[in-house]
Amino acid sequence: MATSKLLAARAGVAERAVYSRHLRRVWGVPGTLLGARVWPPLFRDRLHASFNYWWQAHLLDCMVDGYLRSPNERRRTAITKVVRGIRVRNVLGWTNDFYDDVAWLGLALQRAQHDVGVTKPEALRAIAEQLRDGWTDHAGGGIWWKRDDDFKNVPANGPAAIFLARQNERTDLARARSTVDWVEEHLVDESSGLAWDGLHVHPNGEIREYEKNIYTYCQGVLIGACVELAKHGQKDKWLDRAARTITAVHDDLATDGVLKGQGGGDGGLFAGILTRYLAQAALTITELDPGRAVTADLARELVIQSAEAAWANRTMAVSGPLFGPEWTVPATEAEGRDLSVQLGGWMCLEAAALLERNGLDVAPA
């Protein structure tokens, strides 16, 4: 059974392992850090030859989690260095051609500014402008996955909606609402309540085909966007959608309350992202509507059970624990090489620690 601050301690251990094994300067530039793609890093990884822009956004998000758990100047300095590292490695600016990448970095930078005081207003302006410009009427609306592409998907529209909602400006809130409404209309499976990946569009704007893959992080950002919008009106509408998705996740994407993994590479982040937004849902739903305690408790349970399983099935390596991509089975060093997989585990533990310090029941079922 988890005891007082045990989950915070576990998150701290995961944090230190990532710091020790993955953080490296960018091309030797002072005052910069980025996460090496794999551990042990090959020569090209030490040089950050593969940037993995959106992995770095989640590294930054996890570092902000760590700061909120235990604020100190060392963590703040590291966050500042990673922000600078992202800008240096991206070379030409803060953005790239992928709207999902840009939205993920925007979310992390919003939190760094709000919670840590590390401010990059020019970055947030550039990201907001790109996300606003990413909306077109093709397929009835929505934001593209990538510039000059034919694909619109939940991994771009979900985080973009959360980012725009958190801007808390009238036009951005309206766009966030329209974005989630578009996802709901076009990309939610009526039978399961889960969000598909995305859809392809003909040049004339008509839908060509659907990509009906089910990914955990698509559910996470849909839950996150609905919970964020519930803070700004039409509470029942948005919380109804969040509740439906949380229930569907529990029923179809978890084994004995533990979220399913989706491999290494990019998939290593997917379940961790879902735990982030489940934890926020558990806290916010309780605050906004105490009558929805069953939904909030389901979200809490998924986070706690997943965190317990990730910790129980860790393996030990140099500088600390190593998590696997599938939290229900013992981790191996081979499967845990990717930074993404380690960030997924760390993110899950931070989500559980967030519930712990807010006084929720964190004893595993």
Side-chain angles (χ1 to χ4, degrees), residues 110-336:
Q110 279 179 327
R111 296 184 69 222
Q113 174 173 290
H114 181 269
D115 297 325
V116 188
V118 175
T119 60
K120 290 295 176 184
E122 72 281 8
L124 289 172
R125 278 196 299 271
I127 288 168
E129 288 172 8
Q130 181 161 328
L131 294 178
R132 292 171 190 137
D133 292 344
W135 174 282
T136 72
D137 291 333
H138 296 77
I143 292 169
W144 294 106
W145 168 61
K146 180 185 177 184
R147 284 174 170 153
D148 301 321
D149 200 73
D150 72 346
F151 193 47
K152 292 186 172 184
N153 65 356
V154 177
N157 282 272
I162 299 170
F163 175 87
L164 292 171
R166 289 180 181 172
Q167 292 283 96
N168 200 21
E169 298 175 3
R170 184 175 61 83
T171 54
D172 283 342
L173 271 171
R175 175 62 75 218
R177 293 183 182 108
S178 298
T179 299
V180 181
D181 281 340
W182 178 82
V183 169
E184 184 75 19
E185 181 179 353
H186 291 86
L187 293 175
V188 172
D189 184 339
E190 290 185 6
S191 61
S192 71
L194 295 170
W196 299 324
D197 182 26
L199 54 81
H200 294 273
V201 186
H202 286 297
N204 67 2
E206 295 179 357
I207 296 170
R208 176 163 60 84
E209 65 176 332
Y210 290 90
E211 295 281 354
K212 294 188 177 182
N213 302 315
I214 300 293
Y215 298 121
T216 45
Y217 77 144
C218 292
Q219 321 315 315
V221 294
L222 180 55
I223 292 165
C226 289
V227 169
E228 199 67 38
L229 287 171
K231 301 174 185 177
H232 301 282
Q234 295 181 291
K235 179 182 66 176
D236 287 342
K237 169 185 173 179
W238 302 114
L239 292 186
D240 281 349
R241 293 179 180 180
R244 176 210 62 211
T245 311
I246 291 167
T247 301
V249 165
H250 177 270
D251 292 347
D252 295 337
L253 297 181
T255 302
D256 296 327
V258 179
L259 297 175
K260 296 177 181 179
Q262 293 187 298
D266 286 344
L269 287 164
F270 290 4
I273 291 168
L274 177 50
T275 62
R276 174 182 298 285
Y277 292 106
L278 284 170
Q280 294 176 14
L283 294 172
T284 305
I285 291 172
T286 301
E287 178 184 336
L288 293 178
D289 189 349
R292 295 179 184 266
V294 171
T295 295
D297 193 59
L298 198 60
R300 177 201 61 81
E301 180 184 322
L302 285 163
V303 174
I304 297 305
Q305 293 295 104
S306 296
E308 285 292 326
W311 184 259
N313 284 302
R314 74 196 185 283
T315 190
M316 292 306 294
V318 175
S319 303
L322 201 70
F323 303 102
E326 185 67 63
W327 296 330
T328 56
V329 298
T332 67
E333 283 200 16
E335 291 181 315

Side-chain angles (χ1 to χ4, degrees), residues 55-56 97 205 297 307:
W55 294 16
Q56 307 300 330
D97 287 339
D297 193 59

